[in-house]
């Protein structure tokens, strides 16, 4: 039987960073992403069908293969300052063969179990007449 020293584990936090290539479908306003700022949540990123909340919009997605290889670069600030002046320099960050294809989703309330009566609002009842109101 093995034991674990819990005090030792508290001192060693492992932080993991993941980059995910997203393809969003269903945003009409082209400036929406800049308006959202940092209000982005991805739930279930390691599942087959993750969900993304971007501002007040919800997206559901699936992982798909990309056409070719996607290469991601990041700005190289060290090279930019020393050698090139105002010209931006880029360095390789990573590559991927997968993307997360996200489509806008709309949330609906859960349907009640079959057999249970669904209550009607007053407006719905006014437009319907019951069978007992008609003369025989």
């Amino acid at each position: 039987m093995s034991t674990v020293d819990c005090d030792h584990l508290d001192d060693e936090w492992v932080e993991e960073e993941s980059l995910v290539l997203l393809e969003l479908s269903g945003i009409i306003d082209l400036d929406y992403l800049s308006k959202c700022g940092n209000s982005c949540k991805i739930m279930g990123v390691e599942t087959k069908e993750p969900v993304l909340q971007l501002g007040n919009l919800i997206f559901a997605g699936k992982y798909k293969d990309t056409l070719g290889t996607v290469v991601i670069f990041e700005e190289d600030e060290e090279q930019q300052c020393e050698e090139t002046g105002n010209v931006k320099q880029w360095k390789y960050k990573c590559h991927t063969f997968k993307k997360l294809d996200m489509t806008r989703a709309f949330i609906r309330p859960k349907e009640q179990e079959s057999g249970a009566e669904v209550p009607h609002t007053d407006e719905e009842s006014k437009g319907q007449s019951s069978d007992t109101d008609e003369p025989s």
Side-chain angles (χ1 to χ4, degrees):
M1 184 170 165
S2 64
T3 59
V4 177
D5 182 10
C6 291
D7 293 331
H8 179 66
L9 291 177
D10 289 339
D11 295 336
E12 295 182 23
W13 284 93
V14 176
E15 188 172 313
E16 186 176 323
E17 180 181 286
S18 297
L19 296 175
V20 179
L21 175 65
L22 295 176
E23 185 171 317
L24 297 176
S25 300
I27 295 180
I28 296 174
D29 184 4
L30 298 177
D31 294 328
Y32 186 78
L33 293 175
S34 61
K35 292 175 187 175
C36 286
N38 291 331
S39 62
C40 171
K41 296 177 189 174
I42 298 179
M43 294 152 281
V45 73
E46 295 178 1
T47 64
K48 288 183 179 181
E49 296 182 359
V51 175
L52 167 71
Q53 180 179 356
L54 188 61
N56 61 354
L57 301 180
I58 304 293
F59 295 85
K62 292 185 179 185
Y63 287 97
K64 294 185 177 179
D65 293 326
T66 61
L67 187 60
T69 304
V70 175
V71 181
I72 299 172
F73 294 90
E74 65 182 347
E75 194 171 344
D76 189 355
E77 294 178 17
E78 292 174 13
Q79 290 289 329
Q80 180 179 341
C81 295
E82 296 172 4
E83 298 173 6
T84 61
N86 292 334
V87 179
K88 288 185 180 182
Q89 294 290 311
W90 301 90
K91 65 181 179 180
Y92 172 82
K93 173 106 177 158
C94 61
H95 68 277
T96 185
F97 303 103
K98 295 278 185 187
K99 68 178 176 180
L100 184 49
D101 193 18
M102 305 295 284
T103 305
R104 177 103 185 263
F106 297 93
I107 299 176
R108 288 180 275 166
K110 252 184 157 178
E111 304 244 347
Q112 291 187 356
E113 294 181 25
S114 60
E117 275 192 42
V118 178
H120 295 286
T121 61
D122 290 337
E123 288 82 21
E124 291 174 336
S125 300
K126 289 178 185 175
Q128 300 174 351
S129 63
S130 67
D131 294 335
T132 56
D133 290 344
E134 295 179 19
S136 311

